[in-house]
Amino acid sequence: MNSTVNKSTNTYHLALTGISCASCVSRIEKALQAVPGVQDAQVNLIEKSAIVSTKNEISVDVLIHAIKAIGYEASVINNLEEEESTKTSLEQSYYRHLTYKTALATIVGIPLLVVGMLNIMPSFSTPLGHQINLGLCLLTFLTLVYSGGHFFIGAWKALRTHAANMDTLIALGTGVAWLYSLVAILFTKWLPPLAQHVYFEAAIIIIALVNLGALLELRARRHTSSSIKRLMSLQPKTARVIREKEEIDIPIAQLIIGDFVRVRPGEQIPVDGIVIEGQSHVDESMITGEPLPKEKNINDKVVGATLNKSGSFIFKTTHVGKDTILAQIIQLVQHAQNSKPALARLADQIAGVFVPTVMIIAILTALIWFNAGIEPRVAYMLVTSMAVLVIACPCALGLAVPISVMVGVGKAAEHGILIRQADALQQACQLTTIVLDKTGTITQGQPQVIGVYPAQNWDVQQILTYAASLEVGSEHPLAEAIVKAAKEKGYSLLPVTNFQAISGYGVNGSIQEKTVWLGNSKLMTLQKIPTNPTLENQADHLAKLSQTPIYIAVENQIIGIISIADPIKSDSKAAIIQLQQMGLKVIMITGDHHGTAQSIASQVNIHDVMAEVLPQDKAKKIAELQALKQRVGMVGDGINDAPALAQADVGFAIGTGTDIAIESAGIILMGGSLQGIVDAMLISRHTVRNMKQNLFGAFIYNIIGIPIAAGVLFPFTGLLLNPMIAGAAMALSSVTVVANANRLRFYHPRKVI
Ligand code: ADP
Ligand code: MG
């Protein structure tokens, strides 16, 4: 069997400071990837964090050092909750400061703008005008320092490492405007009369607008990360433990494994465990997305954060702290929100070359205007290149995809769909074929022995005793059913030697010095065990009833068959029909008998069946479909289906609500229902559409704006872009993107009852 957990990779989660734009993202990623041993590094602009996976254990200090070397700060994230709260308070103070900065720039900028438009400012060739303008020069300088200082610092940091980023563009645009104005006042004579103009208001208004855009973006963003906060708030603060026969309420951080915890009606279950006393119904919808409460009896698993309905029970804790399902879900969701789909990597690459490209365009614009423009050439040169620098700021570009991923992944989690990689989210909506494993996926995965059919001279007890004795050594669900049936009848088991499991066929071993074979008809053929026509007929008949016939042979003679049935999940058929209506081809794959598979398939409206497929061949079948240009989604239980899940374009693991560490799958369905696939695909479709809209929103301003700003239309229409309008458009593009992503929050793939 393929190991599903690759222990040799390590993952580090780092918090970043000083990161402000899309070009920072690709710079940090590159720096991290250059560290020896680093396999992958993904930086998230929204979360301001990095996820780094490395081949071997390497010191985090090396990673932090690499980030510091290019001018950013980094620290390790240990405790998610702590991190979240420091981040919130940091964000609040950042927001406050940004508000002051924006306010000052607005207060200074608006009157300047009005005065400029009314043209009532005395010309600075007069002594009074000179004085006033020198005063303004100082005032705007101070405003630039306070309200726009962060752009200049950012630009300086980038410059020191020979790079340019979004800050560079803003700093250049506004800085040059201010400097030009200073020159115009101090050395008026140098400039032709028509170019004797100051651009203080433009510099200040641009700063005000860009800050305003960032403010609005920050406000809107607060909602997008709410899914993590919602998950964190699910866990109750205290638990009622029974220690030394006394019941006390303690903070859940103090719970240890093996504690007995009492849960009363209407209470939330604090951590994961197993019921040892009492009985109840538990609403698990917050974890699995399934609306109906589940019945819980003794020995049933309960999951922290789920809600106890009417009954009362005591459970023994099995997982606390970081190991609970909820903690793992939170970590998984955060990871996925940080990971990048292909679209985002593309956007980052574009953003990486965007800034230098824009600077070149700005320089070319300046040169062309200076050499071929009309008078006042110097003024036109300045206005056009300033507008180019400002409008081309790619700040919305870096946001466009990650912000949709963030909302989409969170939305999916609300429906019991855990997305491990954002790429799976992007690809899910492009699938053309869905391959469903039978056992545990279409069926409940809880097979039961229905009947035992002995050959002549043998009886039920002998058959079940032999079979169960062998199956004790197997982990197969069918094995469990056989062992359970024997135990229920009270048969005592026999010792087995030379036990062997033959994947996809069955098991064998020696009992009382006799060789016993147990498994499907293929196993009997393989061992050249003579067929028994009566039992053969019986087996065919059972298969038609959707039951799985298991043959048992002792010393080369078939002694009987055991028939096992695994009931179909109640909502499988509805979900399969919905998938078909969405235009997908649905195929069932199984190692089970042809007849049984066919019979089950017909009950759930599946027309394509791949039966008697060996576990190791499932991945091959997927690859064959892919060779036919199908985009294949594979749905399986994630244990013996791991290679097939990994081979598929998108692997969906059917979780039992308890195992979420299935690394071979891109998407985990917590609820176990096939409806989750439909939901996942719908959420994917909406998220991808949202990403594309965002990319459009981020680009359209730049694409239309840059040529206009450069003055392409000027020779024909006399149209130029006022740098202030460029600033407004740029601010608007971030706001458009964030607001659009927020729309996704209100999407529901189906009504939650
Ligand atoms: P699935 O695709 O349904 O998960 P498997 O590949 O695990 O099926 O098994 C295929 C078939 O092999 C089963 O339907 C059964 O007939 C036989 N088989 C495998 N393991 C066992 C076992 N331990 N006991 C009995 N039969 C087995
Ligand atoms: Mg299976």
Side-chain angles (χ1 to χ4, degrees):
M1 212 187 82
N2 240 30
S3 159
T4 50
V5 186
N6 189 353
K7 278 281 168 230
S8 62
T9 51
N10 286 282
T11 312
Y12 301 92
H13 203 164
L14 302 174
L16 303 170
T17 30
I19 153 170
S20 60
C21 71
S23 43
C24 305
V25 171
S26 49
R27 287 185 59 220
I28 299 178
E29 281 179 357
K30 273 194 202 124
L32 285 171
Q33 268 149 6
V35 176
V38 169
Q39 279 187 319
D40 189 31
Q42 299 200 323
V43 170
N44 188 301
L45 179 60
I46 299 168
E47 289 281 312
K48 301 204 186 329
S49 67
I51 292 178
V52 190
S53 46
T54 62
K55 237 203 202 103
N56 306 305
E57 198 124 351
I58 64 172
S59 159
V60 225
D61 293 337
V62 180
L63 300 175
I64 293 178
H65 185 78
I67 295 172
K68 283 195 173 147
I70 54 164
Y72 302 92
E73 294 291 325
S75 60
V76 189
I77 299 177
N78 289 319
N79 182 323
L80 280 180
E81 235 158 297
E82 224 169 74
E83 181 63 28
E84 198 66 23
S85 73
T86 40
K87 211 164 68 189
T88 316
S89 65
L90 271 180
E91 210 157 80
Q92 276 163 355
S93 88
Y94 178 71
Y95 185 81
R96 224 180 20 250
H97 276 107
L98 198 59
T99 316
Y100 300 151
K101 291 176 174 185
T102 315
L104 177 69
T106 316
I107 292 167
V108 175
I110 301 265
L112 282 179
L113 186 68
V114 173
V115 169
M117 284 195 302
L118 295 177
N119 219 354
I120 50 175
M121 184 67 87
S123 154
F124 45 72
S125 46
T126 67
L128 178 66
H130 192 74
Q131 294 291 319
I132 293 178
N133 275 294
L134 272 181
L136 285 181
C137 191
L138 184 66
L139 176 67
T140 52
F141 176 75
L142 295 176
T143 313
L144 273 185
V145 169
Y146 178 74
S147 301
H150 51 293
F151 297 114
F152 291 90
I153 292 171
W156 172 243
K157 274 191 184 163
L159 186 69
R160 265 198 333 204
T161 55
H162 313 288
N165 58 19
M166 175 188 132
D167 293 335
T168 318
L169 298 180
I170 302 287
L172 263 181
T174 57
V176 168
W178 186 86
L179 274 178
Y180 176 89
S181 311
L182 181 66
V183 170
I185 296 169
L186 295 182
F187 311 100
T188 316
K189 304 260 151 38
W190 291 9
L191 297 170
L194 278 171
Q196 291 169 5
H197 189 74
V198 290
Y199 293 95
F200 292 131
E201 81 282 15
I204 301 299
I205 293 282
I206 287 169
I207 296 282
L209 284 167
V210 177
N211 281 345
L212 183 69
L215 265 185
L216 292 173
E217 182 192 310
L218 220 60
R219 264 182 79 108
R221 232 194 243 175
R222 281 189 192 158
H223 301 292
T224 54
S225 58
S226 60
S227 61
I228 286 280
K229 294 200 183 96
R230 185 191 68 91
L231 283 170
M232 282 178 178
S233 70
L234 280 177
Q235 197 162 36
K237 297 274 170 289
T238 60
R240 167 152 293 213
V241 287
I242 306 168
R243 281 187 184 161
E244 285 148 19
K245 301 232 166 77
E246 258 189 84
E247 293 193 11
I248 41 166
D249 284 319
I250 60 164
I252 63 160
Q254 290 174 15
L255 278 176
I256 51 169
I257 292 173
D259 264 336
F260 295 113
V261 178
R262 180 184 295 284
V263 184
R264 288 159 296 184
E267 274 184 345
Q268 246 170 340
I269 297 166
V271 293
D272 305 350
I274 290 179
V275 178
I276 54 160
E277 190 188 308
Q279 187 269 341
S280 185
H281 282 83
V282 174
D283 174 4
E284 298 188 329
S285 60
M286 51 296 276
I287 303 286
T288 63
E290 285 187 1
L292 293 181
K294 272 229 172 82
E295 193 181 323
K296 297 287 174 183
N297 291 308
I298 290 173
N299 280 337
D300 281 345
K301 284 183 185 164
V302 287
V303 178
T306 57
L307 186 68
N308 179 31
K309 299 296 248 190
S310 49
S312 171
F313 61 89
I314 297 174
F315 75 94
K316 190 173 166 188
T317 60
T318 54
H319 297 91
V320 296
K322 277 204 313 240
D323 302 322
T324 62
I325 304 265
L326 181 71
Q328 291 183 49
I329 291 178
I330 291 173
Q331 204 173 5
L332 210 98
V333 168
Q334 261 208 334
H335 253 245
Q337 286 183 330
N338 270 271
S339 70
K340 280 183 194 159
L343 263 177
R345 284 192 290 271
L346 181 72
D348 283 350
Q349 274 167 4
I350 297 174
V353 293
F354 213 82
V355 174
T357 314
V358 166
M359 287 168 65
I360 293 170
I361 297 178
I363 292 169
L364 287 178
T365 307
L367 284 177
I368 292 171
W369 277 97
F370 189 73
N371 290 302
I374 54 161
E375 290 300 343
R377 280 185 296 171
V378 188
Y380 276 125
M381 173 184 92
L382 180 75
V383 171
T384 50
S385 48
M386 187 158 75
V388 167
L389 288 175
V390 174
I391 191 124
C393 216
C395 53
L397 192 56
L399 281 178
V401 178
I403 200 141
S404 304
V405 167
M406 195 130 167
V407 182
V409 167
K411 178 103 272 174
E414 278 171 33
H415 289 83
I417 300 159
L418 293 185
I419 292 169
R420 296 180 55 90
Q421 285 297 331
D423 233 355
L425 182 66
Q426 189 188 325
Q427 287 191 32
C429 63
Q430 297 162 354
L431 298 177
T432 56
T433 302
I434 297 281
V435 178
L436 301 171
D437 182 43
K438 180 185 69 94
T439 318
T441 300
I442 297 174
T443 65
Q444 291 173 1
Q446 283 154 347
Q448 277 179 334
V449 172
I450 303 290
V452 178
Y453 306 87
Q456 249 177 352
N457 305 327
W458 292 85
D459 63 34
V460 172
Q461 176 162 7
Q462 285 169 312
I463 291 172
L464 268 186
T465 305
Y466 275 138
S469 304
L470 263 186
E471 294 284 33
V472 168
S474 165
E475 290 160 351
H476 203 277
L478 294 178
E480 274 172 43
I482 290 174
V483 174
K484 197 168 133 228
K487 278 195 180 148
E488 272 166 12
K489 294 220 151 117
Y491 302 154
S492 44
L493 305 185
L494 304 166
V496 175
T497 53
N498 304 327
F499 174 81
Q500 206 188 342
I502 311 143
S503 178
Y505 291 94
V507 289
N508 89 311
S510 308
I511 300 176
Q512 295 169 337
E513 268 148 47
K514 283 184 279 220
T515 312
V516 183
W517 296 91
L518 182 81
N520 50 22
S521 60
K522 277 201 299 187
L523 179 69
M524 300 298 131
T525 319
L526 204 68
Q527 297 309 320
K528 305 206 169 62
I529 296 170
T531 52
N532 176 327
T534 333
L535 289 180
E536 206 76 11
N537 281 338
Q538 185 63 32
D540 286 344
H541 174 68
L542 290 168
K544 289 206 181 84
L545 299 173
S546 305
Q547 297 179 17
T548 303
I550 303 288
Y551 292 80
I552 176 162
V554 175
E555 292 289 310
N556 234 18
Q557 188 202 346
I558 294 182
I559 64 164
I561 47 181
I562 301 172
S563 85
I564 296 181
D566 185 6
I568 295 172
K569 288 178 195 165
S570 58
D571 54 358
S572 287
K573 183 173 180 180
I576 287 167
I577 290 177
Q578 225 174 323
L579 287 170
Q580 287 162 337
Q581 279 166 352
M582 287 163 74
L584 288 141
K585 187 181 174 77
V586 181
I587 299 175
M588 177 165 113
I589 196 164
T590 178
D592 207 344
H593 189 268
H594 257 296
T596 315
Q598 206 72 52
S599 159
I600 288 182
S602 67
Q603 287 185 55
V604 292
N605 203 42
I606 292 183
H607 314 295
D608 298 274
V609 179
M610 299 175 177
E612 299 185 22
V613 181
L614 294 177
Q616 59 269 32
D617 289 340
K618 285 185 182 172
K620 252 187 251 164
K621 292 280 179 196
I622 304 278
E624 281 168 23
L625 289 167
Q626 285 169 327
L628 298 172
K629 296 263 178 304
Q630 298 288 310
R631 288 171 184 272
V632 186
M634 165 78 199
V635 192
D637 54 23
I639 302 159
N640 62 21
D641 300 326
L645 290 177
Q647 171 68 40
D649 294 283
V650 180
F652 295 85
I654 292 276
T656 49
T658 48
D659 189 9
I660 61 166
I662 307 166
E663 291 204 2
S664 49
I667 298 181
I668 295 164
L669 307 174
M670 295 296 286
S673 160
L674 294 186
Q675 181 65 42
I677 308 165
V678 178
D679 292 349
M681 291 188 65
L682 289 174
I683 291 173
S684 159
R685 192 180 283 179
H686 274 78
T687 308
V688 170
R689 190 183 300 158
N690 198 269
M691 285 174 196
K692 289 184 177 160
Q693 288 163 347
N694 279 353
L695 281 176
F696 179 79
F699 264 126
I700 191 73
Y701 294 94
N702 294 335
I703 289 175
I704 299 181
I706 294 175
I708 302 180
V712 169
L713 295 179
F714 187 79
F716 316 108
T717 60
L719 186 69
L720 276 184
L721 199 64
N722 184 323
M724 286 182 273
I725 306 277
M730 218 223 40
L732 204 63
S733 76
S734 323
V735 176
T736 315
V737 162
V738 180
N740 187 50
N742 261 314
R743 261 180 352 106
L744 197 57
R745 288 196 306 134
F746 303 103
Y747 171 68
H748 281 285
R750 62 178 154 157
K751 280 207 188 82
V752 179
I753 308 160

